[in-house]
Amino acid sequence: MEELSIKEKESKEKKLDSDDEIEEENKEENTNVEEISSNYENAKVHSPPSYLREALEWIATEKEKYEKFEAGLGAIENTVLRCMVAIVVGQPSQLAPYLAEAIFDRNIAVKQRYLITTVLVNAAKELAGVDQSAEKTMVNPYKEYDVMKPETSKGRDISLLIRILYTACELLTLAENSPSIIRITLSLTSSVESLRYHDDSSVREVVVAAYFAAATVLPEQCFIKANH
């Protein structure tokens, strides 16, 4: 009996030691998870550089510090975007049609065509007098209106089509006070008419958005005449 009691005691001690080890491992894992989460949060909130020279320096010297490198790269992209927008605002009648045609040029990279749509929208906002002072940076040209599609030629074409149509909807909304609003609206609605029964549901959703934008900007008199 005494021998059995000793064995039971040793078994209990081993179990306690095992529980202590598991608890210690859990503490270490929780600590690692907290550190990773903390680093991720810090990376997301890193403040951008104040000057372009500083941004260039970050890109050249801070490649190991991802959050600073990303902040520097974002600042440069935003600066380039602002310059492009300013140029279009300065000469809209000459540059806007040229850029609109470039969107459909297959010799231009898809990302650059996405960038063009963003430039057109932001330039239209400035010309329409939309207050953008609350925005620290302009809209990311590679994320706005993006719809995830398979990495195939057809998938990329559909994503770009959706991007273009949403851009057209926003440009129509911004042109609400234009004397040519009826002509612009008819141009958009006639362009999307053949897409109403498109196989892709995302395209059909954009068509609905286009008709909604048209109904929003057209004067009430247009609907009265149509009903008569």
Side-chain angles (χ1 to χ4, degrees), residues 181-227:
I181 188 60
I182 295 177
R183 179 178 58 81
I184 298 171
T185 303
L186 289 174
S187 177
L188 176 59
T189 53
S190 62
S191 297
V192 301
E193 185 176 0
S194 62
L195 300 173
R196 290 180 298 170
Y197 306 106
H198 197 280
D199 293 338
D200 194 290
S201 61
S202 297
V203 175
R204 297 197 299 271
E205 288 176 7
V206 185
V207 172
V208 173
Y211 283 118
F212 179 80
T216 302
V217 301
L218 283 176
E220 184 179 348
Q221 296 88 329
C222 294
F223 299 101
I224 294 175
K225 289 180 181 179
N227 290 332

Side-chain angles (χ1 to χ4, degrees), residues 43 45-62 65-79 82 136-137:
V45 299
H46 197 287
S47 57
S50 302
Y51 303 98
L52 181 59
R53 182 177 61 183
E54 187 178 11
L56 293 170
E57 184 180 341
W58 285 9
I59 290 177
T61 62
E62 302 291 351
K65 296 180 180 178
Y66 177 77
E67 66 275 12
K68 290 190 71 174
F69 179 84
E70 185 72 10
L73 185 63
I76 291 176
E77 289 178 348
N78 192 56
T79 300
R82 287 186 180 279
K136 293 183 179 180
T137 59

Side-chain angles (χ1 to χ4, degrees), residues 23-227:
E23 185 177 352
E24 187 64 30
E25 288 177 0
N26 289 337
K27 284 182 179 179
E28 290 179 0
E29 288 180 1
N30 290 335
T31 301
N32 291 334
V33 170
E34 288 175 1
E35 287 179 356
I36 292 172
S37 299
S38 177
N39 291 337
Y40 180 69
E41 289 299 323
N42 289 337
K44 289 199 300 182
V45 299
H46 197 287
S47 57
S50 302
Y51 303 98
L52 181 59
R53 182 177 61 183
E54 187 178 11
L56 293 170
E57 184 180 341
W58 285 9
I59 290 177
T61 62
E62 302 291 351
K63 291 182 180 180
E64 294 182 0
K65 296 180 180 178
Y66 177 77
E67 66 275 12
K68 290 190 71 174
F69 179 84
E70 185 72 10
L73 185 63
I76 291 176
E77 289 178 348
N78 192 56
T79 300
V80 172
L81 181 57
R82 287 186 180 279
C83 289
M84 293 178 68
V85 169
I87 293 172
V88 176
V89 170
Q91 293 183 314
S93 58
Q94 291 81 12
L95 294 179
Y98 172 79
L99 291 176
E101 289 182 8
I103 294 174
F104 301 95
D105 188 345
R106 289 189 174 272
N107 294 319
I108 299 176
V110 172
K111 282 189 175 182
Q112 300 305 319
R113 287 188 270 174
Y114 274 44
L115 176 61
I116 291 172
T117 62
T118 304
V119 170
L120 289 173
V121 169
N122 282 292
K125 285 181 178 179
E126 289 200 19
L127 290 168
V130 176
D131 183 13
Q132 301 182 71
S133 59
E135 298 180 7
K136 293 183 179 180
T137 59
M138 289 191 176
V139 180
N140 186 326
Y142 305 134
K143 292 184 179 180
E144 185 188 21
Y145 304 138
D146 281 355
V147 177
M148 298 304 295
K149 295 291 176 186
E151 282 300 318
T152 62
S153 177
K154 183 179 179 181
R156 287 191 294 270
D157 286 346
I158 291 177
S159 294
L160 182 60
L161 172 63
I162 293 170
R163 173 70 170 259
I164 292 170
L165 292 176
Y166 267 126
T167 300
C169 290
E170 189 158 5
L171 292 175
L172 177 64
T173 303
L174 291 167
E176 181 177 8
N177 296 321
S178 169
S180 304
I181 188 60
I182 295 177
R183 179 178 58 81
I184 298 171
T185 303
L186 289 174
S187 177
L188 176 59
T189 53
S190 62
S191 297
V192 301
E193 185 176 0
S194 62
L195 300 173
R196 290 180 298 170
Y197 306 106
H198 197 280
D199 293 338
D200 194 290
S201 61
S202 297
V203 175
R204 297 197 299 271
E205 288 176 7
V206 185
V207 172
V208 173
Y211 283 118
F212 179 80
T216 302
V217 301
L218 283 176
E220 184 179 348
Q221 296 88 329
C222 294
F223 299 101
I224 294 175
K225 289 180 181 179
N227 290 332

